[in-house]
Amino acid sequence: MSSSEGRAPEDWLVDLARQHRLSPAQRQIVQRMLRMFPEVAFLSTSEIAELTGVSQPTVTRLATALGFAGFGEFRAALREAVISGVPSQRAPERHDAGAAAIEQERENLAGLRRVVAGDAMTDAVRLLAGSTPLGVIGLRASAALAGYFGYFARRILPSVEVCTNGATVPDTVLQLSRRDATAMLIFAMPRYPAATVAAIRLSRRLGMSTVVVADTPLVPFAGEADVLLAAPVATGLVFDSHAAAVVLSAGLLDAIAAVDPQRTQERLEAHESLVDDWVHPA
């Protein structure tokens, strides 16, 4: 597990963290450890806990979350990275993580091209454009994505129902079914709420197709979705970045609008007639 030649030893930890699904609290510990290189490789769990402001068990859990049997194995790998690499003489600055996240999002967006051009995208557009009303669900971290999609979908579709409250999901899905909805769009970003998976299952049980936007095609509930669109997230910051999911949402909206150009034009013009009432003059 030695670091690559010509790279600072802390790059090894950055790469390792990106390869695993860490919680926001664990990412914060990693960022604090990055500022402690190379000394961090020779500290105990209690010393790291004290310096990072967390409990000792939390440090141990981070080691296992990164794929090690325990903290001892993790520290040995850290030491190897420090000894084999070239110790940095400066603490990584906060903007380094932001720049790395931008690079990761560039890669995510490049991969998204295959999704947008694929058969799954075509199927998703057909299902969503053909449902009146259209249900959109996004809980917890996915709530903002559902709100974003729903806000613009109402400009081009006759009826859109957005649900971001896990407690009301069953009622929302049931009511949409009774109103003859044929499809649901469900955003499922990490961590995946149990209520999100329940919504997928209930929708299908009531005869509605489900289009699920998730961060990977390998989500444990992938087989329960009629169509799954993968929009990878950037995990280098404390909280996930959903840039790819936003771009995918905009692409879905554009493709849905193109299904019925006349209806889209009429609805957009009707909305445009109200703009003067709410927009602030430039």
Side-chain angles (χ1 to χ4, degrees):
M1 291 191 180
S2 60
S3 59
S4 301
E5 183 179 355
R7 303 183 70 203
E10 55 264 39
D11 291 336
W12 171 84
L13 181 57
V14 171
D15 292 342
L16 183 65
R18 288 177 183 164
Q19 295 167 17
H20 295 80
R21 167 56 59 184
L22 301 182
S23 70
Q26 289 168 337
R27 294 182 201 177
Q28 184 74 355
I29 297 171
V30 170
Q31 289 185 0
R32 292 175 180 175
M33 289 177 67
L34 289 172
R35 302 187 185 102
M36 296 157 55
F37 265 82
E39 294 81 2
V40 68
F42 304 93
L43 300 177
S44 66
T45 53
S46 58
E47 289 171 325
I48 293 177
E50 181 178 356
L51 291 170
T52 56
V54 300
S55 67
Q56 188 172 349
T58 299
V59 177
T60 301
R61 285 194 293 270
L62 171 64
T64 56
L66 290 171
F68 296 94
F71 179 78
E73 184 178 310
F74 173 48
R75 183 170 57 186
L78 270 176
R79 289 177 178 175
E80 182 182 348
V82 168
I83 294 171
S84 302
V86 180
S88 175
Q89 299 302 313
R90 64 173 179 84
E93 297 180 17
R94 187 66 185 86
H95 69 261
D96 290 346
I102 291 173
E103 290 304 315
Q104 188 177 6
E105 285 293 18
R106 285 180 178 176
E107 296 175 6
N108 290 342
L109 291 172
L112 193 63
R113 292 179 181 176
R114 294 188 294 272
V115 176
V116 173
D119 292 339
M121 183 74 169
T122 301
D123 292 340
V125 171
R126 173 179 54 82
L127 291 172
L128 300 178
S131 182
T132 303
L134 172 63
V136 182
I137 293 177
L139 308 179
R140 302 181 70 85
S142 299
L145 293 170
Y148 171 85
F149 184 93
Y151 177 84
F152 291 107
R154 291 188 180 102
R155 305 293 184 269
I156 58 176
L157 294 174
S159 180
V160 179
E161 183 79 22
V162 177
C163 178
T164 59
N165 184 345
T168 64
V169 164
D171 287 339
T172 298
V173 174
L174 179 60
Q175 291 303 317
L176 283 165
S177 174
R178 290 178 173 175
R179 292 166 56 196
D180 297 324
T182 58
M184 299 283 292
L185 174 61
I186 302 174
F187 291 92
M189 295 290 119
R191 308 172 181 177
Y192 317 112
T196 297
V197 181
I200 298 172
R201 293 171 178 168
L202 178 59
S203 297
R204 297 192 72 188
R205 196 170 80 218
L206 294 175
M208 292 181 287
S209 300
T210 56
V211 176
V212 177
V213 176
D215 62 311
T216 168
L218 303 178
V219 289
F221 46 87
E224 304 196 57
D226 291 291
V227 178
L228 191 144
L229 302 174
V233 301
T235 59
L237 303 175
V238 172
F239 300 106
D240 288 341
S241 171
H242 294 163
V246 172
V247 173
L248 177 59
S249 297
L252 276 172
L253 289 163
D254 190 75
I256 290 170
V259 170
D260 191 338
Q262 182 63 31
R263 179 182 69 182
T264 295
Q265 187 64 31
E266 291 174 356
R267 293 187 64 84
L268 289 177
E269 288 181 0
H271 173 69
E272 194 70 19
S273 68
L274 303 176
V275 169
D276 289 340
D277 294 335
W278 57 266
V279 72
H280 191 280

